[in-house]
């Protein structure tokens, strides 16, 4: 549930920030007559994202076992790629996202009404499609309950409240620190999603070594305990992983953490002009 909550919070806050920036720009520019176009674009993006999530679930439910495992593996690997790109993109874009969006919206206003709706749609739909894919991938290892859906819903609700607070200047959030800490957690979540993707590929018979275990801590990690459910649901830590699953997790998490935590390269000093 916490992994789904974190995905909903992170992705939802990005989308909420986009919408709040667009709305604030129009209000401050005395262009309230264009607000309905922004909300039209946002609504279309949300509808497409929900439809995409439903399509993923429907497709997975109507496949044979091997095909379903392969489909879920592809979705997990794709989700890992998307979340990795998102983490590093937000690391660099958090400080300039507002100015970039204002500039794009200003250009859209000059083009016409349809361009405003399209711009709002494109700004939100990326986050929505990523949320659907990440939620689908992260929920594959969970039991068949409503817990993942509750988690992502609470995360999205929290992001909306934070976004509204930021828009209304009621609260202040250091977005750089926020995206840094959530980025660290999401790297571990993405590592678990990739590990589950490898597990699915082994279940589908694409990769070997399903019975070759890296370790067996089932005597220590009680599957019925709450902490086992937390570790499994959030980071896909299981008691009997295969060697290939652990190898994939380590090969992803360690270098990505190193690159993410590495200080940004200092800008080159401008040459002095004599």
């Amino acid at each position: 549930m916490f992994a789904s909550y974190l995905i909903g919070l992170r992705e939802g806050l990005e989308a909420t920030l986009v919408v709040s920036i667009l709305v604030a720009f129009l209000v401050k520019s005395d262009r309230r007559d264009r607000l309905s176009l922004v909300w039209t674009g946002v609504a279309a993006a949300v509808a497409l994202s929900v439809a995409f999530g439903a399509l993923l679930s429907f497709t997975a439910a109507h496949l044979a076992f091997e095909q379903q495992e392969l489909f879920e593996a592809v979705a997990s690997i794709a989700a890992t790629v998307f979340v990795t790109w998102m983490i590093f993109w937000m690391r660099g874009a958090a400080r300039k996202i507002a100015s970039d969006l204002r500039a794009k919206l200003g250009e859209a206003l000059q083009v016409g009404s349809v361009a405003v709706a399209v711009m709002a749609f494109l700004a939100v739909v990326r986050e929505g499609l990523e949320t659907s894919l990440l939620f689908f991938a992260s929920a594959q290892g969970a039991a068949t309950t409503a817990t993942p859906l509750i988690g992502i819903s609470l995360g999205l609700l929290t992001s909306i409240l934070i976004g509204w607070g930021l828009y209304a200047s009621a609260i202040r959030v250091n977005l750089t620190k926020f995206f840094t800490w959530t980025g660290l957690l999401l790297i571990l979540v993405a590592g678990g999603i990739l590990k589950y993707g490898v597990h699915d590929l082994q279940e589908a018979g694409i990769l070997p070594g399903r019975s070759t275990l890296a370790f067996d801590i089932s005597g220590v990690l009680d599957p019925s305990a709450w902490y086992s459910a937390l570790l499994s649901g959030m980071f896909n830590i299981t008691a009997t992983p295969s060697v290939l699953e652990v190898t994939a997790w380590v090969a992803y998490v360690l270098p990505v953490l190193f690159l993410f935590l590495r200080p940004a390269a200092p800008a080159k000093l401008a040459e002095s002009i004599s």
Side-chain angles (χ1 to χ4, degrees), residues 17 58 70 72 108 116 120 139 156 166 186 209 213 218 229 231 246 250:
L17 285 173
F58 177 82
L70 180 59
E72 293 175 358
V116 175
L156 291 172
L166 289 171
L186 279 177
L213 302 182
S218 54
L231 292 174
V246 174
V250 172

Side-chain angles (χ1 to χ4, degrees), residues 9-31:
L9 176 62
R10 173 72 180 243
E11 294 285 348
L13 185 57
E14 289 183 39
T16 303
L17 285 173
V18 168
V19 175
S20 63
I21 290 169
L22 297 180
V23 171
F25 177 81
L26 290 175
V27 171
K28 292 181 179 179
S29 303
D30 197 23
R31 301 299 299 270

Side-chain angles (χ1 to χ4, degrees), residues 31-233:
R31 301 299 299 270
R32 294 176 181 268
D33 57 313
R34 295 293 188 268
L35 285 176
S36 60
L37 298 173
V38 171
W39 293 119
T40 299
V42 170
V46 171
L48 180 60
S49 301
V50 173
F52 179 63
L55 178 62
L56 289 174
S57 299
F58 177 82
T59 302
H62 290 77
L63 295 174
F65 176 76
E66 291 79 7
Q67 294 174 330
Q68 183 177 9
E69 295 296 318
L70 180 59
F71 179 80
E72 293 175 358
V74 172
S76 296
I77 294 172
T80 304
V81 172
F82 277 123
V83 75
T84 305
W85 176 84
M86 173 195 68
I87 289 169
F88 284 97
W89 181 80
M90 282 306 301
R91 183 191 182 195
R95 296 180 179 179
K96 61 178 183 178
I97 185 172
S99 58
D100 288 347
L101 284 172
R102 291 190 188 107
K104 291 179 181 178
L105 184 56
E107 295 173 359
L109 285 170
Q110 295 178 359
V111 174
S113 300
V114 176
V116 175
V118 171
M119 189 266 170
F121 171 81
L122 294 176
V124 175
V125 73
R126 180 182 66 85
E127 312 298 343
L129 294 178
E130 284 182 2
T131 302
S132 297
L133 181 59
L134 289 172
F135 173 69
F136 175 80
S138 66
Q140 296 311 305
T144 308
T145 66
T147 301
L149 181 60
I150 294 173
I152 199 168
S153 299
L154 291 175
L156 291 172
L157 178 60
T158 303
S159 69
I160 291 172
L161 294 176
I162 293 176
W164 173 254
L166 289 171
Y167 172 76
S169 299
I171 59 176
R172 290 288 185 269
V173 175
N174 187 319
L175 293 179
T176 301
K177 290 184 178 180
F178 174 85
F179 286 122
T180 297
W181 284 107
T182 56
L184 290 173
L185 289 174
L186 279 177
I187 289 172
L188 299 179
V189 170
I193 293 175
L194 177 62
K195 175 177 172 289
Y196 192 80
V198 171
H199 172 83
D200 280 337
L201 289 174
Q202 291 179 316
E203 290 285 347
I206 304 298
L207 293 178
R210 177 67 192 95
S211 59
T212 306
L213 302 182
F215 50 80
D216 185 350
I217 56 172
S218 54
V220 178
L221 194 62
D222 182 7
S224 61
W226 65 269
Y227 53 84
S228 299
L230 176 64
L231 292 174
S232 177

